Amino acid sequence: MKISPEYISDFLRAEGVNKDLIDEADSFRKEHSSADSSRLVEPPYLYYGKSVWEKSIAAILAGENLLLAGSKATGKNILAQNLACLFGRPLYDISFHINVDSSYLIGSDTYDGTKVTFRPGPIYSAAKDGGFAVLDEINMARNEALAVLHAALDFRRVIELSGYERLELHPAARFIATMNYGYAGTRDLNEALCSRFAVLSMRTIEEKDLSRLIEKAFPDMNKKILSQFVALFFEIEKKAAAAEISERALDLRGLLDAIRLMQKGIASGDALEICLVNKTFDEYERGLVRDLINARLPADLGKAEIFS
């Protein structure tokens, strides 16, 4: 299954997303051709959630930047990739950590062997090419690193390069930030930065949508087995919400990775052990997660039993 901009448009129409928004997104894509086709992305999965789709498309069309805030398994990065694909924009991923500074984001001087030249950073490149810059885990960055983005994120839409030109952002350029709550090393965003985003509160995928996501990604999966995977995910979520286990095993990406391993011939128990159980490092908690899995799925299920 190839997920193209046209495929996403058709999917959104089938989901009942506002037709005018889809038409405007299609027009936006046709109006702004990509300067760097090598950065166009094909998302691995579709994002399910009509309300979130409508809000995010409307925000981008209105010229807003997006902040996707929520816990694990809410599809923040998948939504960002889906949006970049729908709008036909090159994608620039920036993963924040304590050592990311302004020179990494914007660029720095470098010697090319004959002269000193400017080496652009991902923010500069996205701004110039009209890309979508994904600011991943933005609440792990230092304030002084993010301060250089203030003029790019607000109505000015410019980047000042000391000693070089003043770069005005391409009209198609957008910034999509993501943040999780409560991770080690994270903190609250300051008000000046937060005010420059339209904030979407991301929620865990609904049961019917998870079933559709797995079915779309693995169309040859046995339907009874599929329903057990869905039920397992939400049992883990329920235990995590009740603080009986941590959120480490609540990993939608891990569940899908486990299914891919099963496609390669790894037994169900081993695949889920690698991709879910071992995400937690407390032996007692691993036992609880393992018990949840064993209550739903035999550990020796093989590829032939899971896929038709």
Side-chain angles (χ1 to χ4, degrees):
M1 177 184 68
K2 178 177 175 57
I3 299 180
S4 64
E6 294 76 17
Y7 186 96
I8 295 179
S9 288
D10 291 341
F11 162 73
L12 295 178
R13 294 179 199 281
E15 292 291 296
V17 171
N18 185 297
K19 179 181 180 298
D20 292 339
L21 290 174
I22 301 171
D23 289 343
E24 284 192 60
D26 289 342
S27 297
F28 183 104
R29 184 176 67 250
K30 292 171 184 175
E31 179 183 355
H32 302 291
S33 59
S34 173
D36 186 357
S37 60
S38 68
R39 285 190 171 271
L40 296 177
V41 295
E42 180 186 339
Y45 309 106
L46 292 168
Y47 178 84
Y48 290 85
K50 176 176 178 286
S51 176
V52 170
W53 265 115
E54 290 183 339
K55 292 172 185 175
S56 56
I57 293 173
I60 288 173
L61 290 172
E64 300 288 337
N65 301 301
L66 281 173
L67 172 58
L68 310 178
S71 57
K72 285 179 63 178
T74 53
K76 296 182 290 296
N77 290 100
I78 286 295
L79 175 60
Q81 287 197 351
N82 273 252
L83 287 168
C85 182
L86 173 66
F87 283 91
R89 307 317 306 152
L91 189 69
Y92 295 82
D93 282 301
I94 300 104
S95 295
F96 280 99
H97 52 81
I98 196 64
N99 293 322
V100 169
D101 58 15
S102 58
S103 63
Y104 171 81
L105 296 174
I106 304 299
S108 59
D109 289 334
T110 185
Y111 184 66
D112 67 2
T114 59
K115 63 182 184 301
V116 174
T117 60
F118 177 71
R119 180 179 61 190
I123 294 295
Y124 178 95
S125 298
K128 188 173 182 179
D129 295 343
F132 281 12
V134 177
L135 312 176
D136 200 22
E137 307 292 1
I138 192 171
N139 54 334
M140 293 187 72
R142 297 178 296 174
N143 284 335
E144 53 268 32
L146 295 173
V148 300
L149 300 180
H150 284 182
L153 291 168
D154 67 18
F155 66 92
R156 290 168 288 180
R157 289 180 61 82
V158 297
I159 294 175
E160 292 285 357
L161 299 172
S162 179
Y164 295 93
E165 81 274 20
R166 182 176 188 261
L167 175 68
E168 293 189 3
L169 269 64
H170 188 290
R174 299 290 187 275
F175 297 90
I176 304 175
T178 72
M179 62 179 283
N180 287 291
Y181 301 117
Y183 276 16
T186 62
R187 55 180 177 74
D188 289 335
L189 295 186
N190 67 59
E191 293 178 13
L193 184 64
C194 196
S195 69
R196 287 165 164 80
F197 290 96
V199 183
L200 280 179
S201 180
M202 304 288 286
R203 299 173 182 263
T204 305
I205 190 170
E206 294 184 3
E207 188 169 342
K208 63 181 176 58
D209 290 333
L210 177 57
S211 180
R212 294 164 65 203
L213 187 156
I214 296 176
E215 184 174 12
K216 186 76 77 172
F218 306 98
D220 57 344
M221 178 179 283
N222 180 303
K223 297 299 184 290
K224 289 183 178 179
I225 299 295
L226 188 154
S227 67
Q228 293 302 310
F229 282 122
V230 172
L232 170 63
F233 177 83
F234 286 101
E235 284 185 6
I236 293 174
E237 183 198 31
K238 184 178 179 180
K239 293 288 186 183
E244 295 180 36
I245 60 174
S246 70
E247 289 190 345
R248 288 181 179 274
L250 182 62
D251 190 344
L252 179 53
R253 187 182 297 115
L255 178 64
L256 297 171
D257 288 343
I259 296 173
R260 272 194 292 272
L261 286 179
M262 295 173 207
Q263 275 189 320
K264 297 299 182 183
I266 302 298
S268 58
D270 290 337
L272 290 165
E273 185 86 10
I274 294 169
C275 297
L276 288 184
V277 176
N278 290 348
K279 294 289 175 72
T280 180
F281 301 108
D282 177 81
E283 184 56 44
Y284 176 73
E285 187 177 345
R286 279 202 296 268
L288 293 177
V289 177
R290 197 177 289 117
D291 288 344
L292 287 174
I293 293 171
N294 291 338
R296 283 282 169 191
L297 293 157
D300 58 352
L301 282 178
K303 178 179 178 180
E305 297 165 283
I306 299 170
F307 303 98
S308 57

